[in-house]
Amino acid sequence: MNADTTLPTTAATQPLLRAENISFAYDRDLVVQEVSLDIQAGEFAGIIGPNGSGKSTLLKLMAGILEPDTRNVLFRGTDIKTCPRKKLAQSIAWIPQEHHMPFPFKVSEVVMMGRHPYLSAFTFEGDSDYEIVQHALEQTQTAAFAERHFNEISGGEKQRVMLASAIAQQPEAMLLDEPTSALDLKYQVELLKILKDLNTTRGVTIAVAMHDLHLASKYCRRLVLLKEGRVIKDGTPEDVLQKDILERVYEVKVKIFRDDTDGSFMISPEAS
Ligand SMILES: Nc1ncnc2c1ncn2[C@@H]1O[C@H](COP(=O)(O)OP(=O)(O)OP(=O)(O)O)[C@@H](O)[C@H]1O
C-alpha cells in the first residue's frame, strides 16, 4: 500500500470534517470565532449569513486552504494539516467564488485539472481521465465551449466549468463558495440539481455558502447561520429560517412564506 495515500482506519466512525472550536483572523480582528462544526459524510449543508459573516473563510478553513489560529480542523479524525496532500486533493474539491487562471488554459484543460490529484509527476492523462472529463463537461452543459479559453468565457460559464472540474475530481466532499452567484435562473437550478444528484446517488458530501435563502431551503437539509464569524443557529431549514432569528441576524424585517409543494421557504425583506 502506498503510505502517501493512507489515512487512519478509524476514519469511518469520525465526521468527515470537524471544526473544533476554531478561530481565525486575517489581521487583527477575528472573522471566525470559536466555531465548532461537524460535517458528516453524505450531508448537504448550506452555510448562510450576511455579507462578511465569515462563510467563505469558514469553508476555506474546512477545506484546509487556511489554517485556524486556534485549535484544528479534522478530516476523518486527523488534523487536516497533517493529512497527505495528495489524498486530501482527491477527497475534497474546493470551488471558490472568483475564478481566474494565470495562463490561457482552455476550458477542457481546466476540467482536466480535476484529474491531477490522481496523476503522478511522470504520468499523462489516460483514456479513462478523458472519459471522466467528457462526462463532466456534458453533465454541466459546458462541452459546447470546451475549446474556448477559460478567461474569455462569462462568469456564469466559469462557475459551471469549475463545477465540471470538481466533478472530474471525483471527491468525497465538495465545498463551494456561492456557486450560483453568477448563474441565471435555469443554471442556478441546474447546478443545484447536479449537486443534489451527486449527493444522493454518489454520496458526495456538500457544504455550500449561499445567499439565496429560498434555494438554500429547497436543496440543503441542514443550514448553518453565521454572523460576525459565529454560528448563530444550526439545524434544518425549518429550525433556522425563523422570522425573529433572520431579523436579528440580517437586521431587516422579513416576511416568510412556505411553498407547500416542496416545503421550501421564501424570504421577502420588507422596506422600512
Ligand atoms: N484575504 C482577506 N484579507 C483580509 N480580510 C479578509 C480577507 N478575506 C476576507 N476578509 C474579511 O473577513 C471577513 C469575513 O469575510 P468572508 O469573505 O469570509 O465573509 P462572507 O460571509 O463569505 O462574505 P460575503 O457574503 O460578502 O461573500 C470580512 O470582514 C472580510 O472583509
Side-chain angles (χ1 to χ4, degrees), residues 26-27 31 49-58 97 177-178 211:
Y26 288 99
D27 36 52
V31 299
N51 288 135
S53 57
K55 302 179 294 296
S56 307
T57 307
L58 178 60
Q97 205 175 120
D177 192 4
E178 294 179 39
H211 275 299

Side-chain angles (χ1 to χ4, degrees), residues 59-67 73 80 85 88 92 175:
L59 283 177
K60 285 180 194 165
L61 290 160
M62 300 294 278
I65 291 162
L66 295 173
E67 264 183 42
V73 169
I80 203 164
R85 291 290 108 181
L88 209 54
I92 300 179
L175 308 187

